[in-house]
Amino acid sequence: RTATGWVTAFLQSTNSEKGLAERLDLAGSERKPAEWVLLGIGGSALLAVALTLATGNAVIGILAGAMLGWLSMHVILSIRIGRRRAAFGEQLPDVLQLIAGSLQSGFSLPQAVDAVVREGSQPAASEFSRALVEARLGADLEDALNRVAERMDSTDLRWTVMAIRIQREVGGNLAEVLRTTVGTMRERAFLRRQVSSLSAEGRLSA
């Protein structure tokens, strides 16, 4: 606890705690920034000891251990963020299909999003929950969904929000608009998988 307090004070003094907290949140980690930094320090120390014993040079071992430890923690966090965003993208068509079905049943858009939060899987449920909380605090739901799209780096969700805004301005059947959007997303996903499959041999050769 004492070490965590020291690291927290250091992060706050360098204004780096907020950025690290946002990355940990994006990765779906429940650890605090100070705890993550302490894990990195511990890993770097172990690497430094191992490299010192392997090379017989303490300076090289310590420098290489510190560098590899920091780089490893950064890469691990980036990989986890990428996987979470990819999972969100895979779940999005099903989520929008659920919203469209709820709208068809007579629910409002906020009620349909609430159904996603209650019945959806992670990480989609937690991200849409974030948007719903913002809307209940007075923010526009479309703006809140757009911020989720920015967090998840989801072009598909950005297009969906744009479609919702256009529908609000010109009218029409939002459920049908969402179903059309879902169909487009699934066709694009199928095309991406097909291209990946056809180009696998060339990429492996490269």
Side-chain angles (χ1 to χ4, degrees):
R1 286 196 297 268
T2 301
T4 301
W6 289 343
V7 174
T8 299
F10 173 76
L11 292 174
Q12 290 174 347
S13 66
T14 57
N15 296 321
S16 56
E17 183 180 31
K18 183 178 179 181
L20 181 56
E22 289 175 355
R23 283 178 58 79
L24 287 169
D25 185 38
L26 280 173
S29 174
E30 297 181 356
R31 294 191 182 278
K32 297 177 181 178
E35 294 172 348
W36 185 257
V37 171
L38 283 174
L39 280 175
I41 293 173
S44 297
L46 289 175
L47 281 171
V49 171
L51 290 172
T52 298
L53 294 175
T55 62
N57 189 316
V59 175
I60 293 177
I62 292 173
L63 291 177
M67 183 178 297
L68 288 174
W70 175 85
L71 185 62
S72 297
M73 298 299 284
H74 181 78
V75 169
I76 289 170
L77 204 54
S78 296
I79 290 173
R80 291 183 63 178
I81 291 172
R83 286 179 177 173
R84 191 166 185 268
R85 283 174 168 171
F88 179 86
E90 291 176 1
Q91 293 171 2
L92 186 58
D94 293 333
V95 166
L96 296 179
Q97 188 71 44
L98 178 58
I99 291 176
S102 298
L103 292 172
Q104 195 78 42
S105 301
F107 289 98
S108 65
L109 182 58
Q111 289 173 329
V113 174
D114 185 57
V116 168
V117 173
R118 286 184 282 105
E119 301 178 19
S121 55
Q122 299 297 339
S126 63
E127 292 300 323
F128 278 89
S129 174
R130 182 188 300 272
L132 197 59
V133 168
E134 290 185 21
R136 287 170 177 168
L137 292 175
D140 187 74
L141 182 57
E142 286 84 358
D143 291 338
L145 289 173
N146 205 47
R147 281 189 283 273
V148 171
E150 295 296 330
R151 274 174 50 82
M152 292 290 102
D153 193 23
S154 173
T155 301
D156 287 340
L157 185 54
R158 292 190 192 101
W159 288 350
T160 302
V161 173
M162 188 183 302
I164 293 173
R165 283 178 169 157
I166 293 172
Q167 186 276 337
R168 173 174 287 187
E169 293 176 3
V170 302
N173 189 336
L174 180 56
E176 190 62 33
V177 170
L178 291 179
R179 286 198 175 97
T180 302
T181 305
V182 168
T184 303
M185 288 180 186
R186 285 176 172 158
E187 288 175 6
R188 290 174 62 244
F190 172 76
L191 183 60
R192 280 197 297 267
R193 288 194 296 269
Q194 191 174 27
V195 169
S196 178
S197 176
L198 293 173
S199 63
E201 184 178 352
R203 288 184 285 110
L204 183 61
S205 299

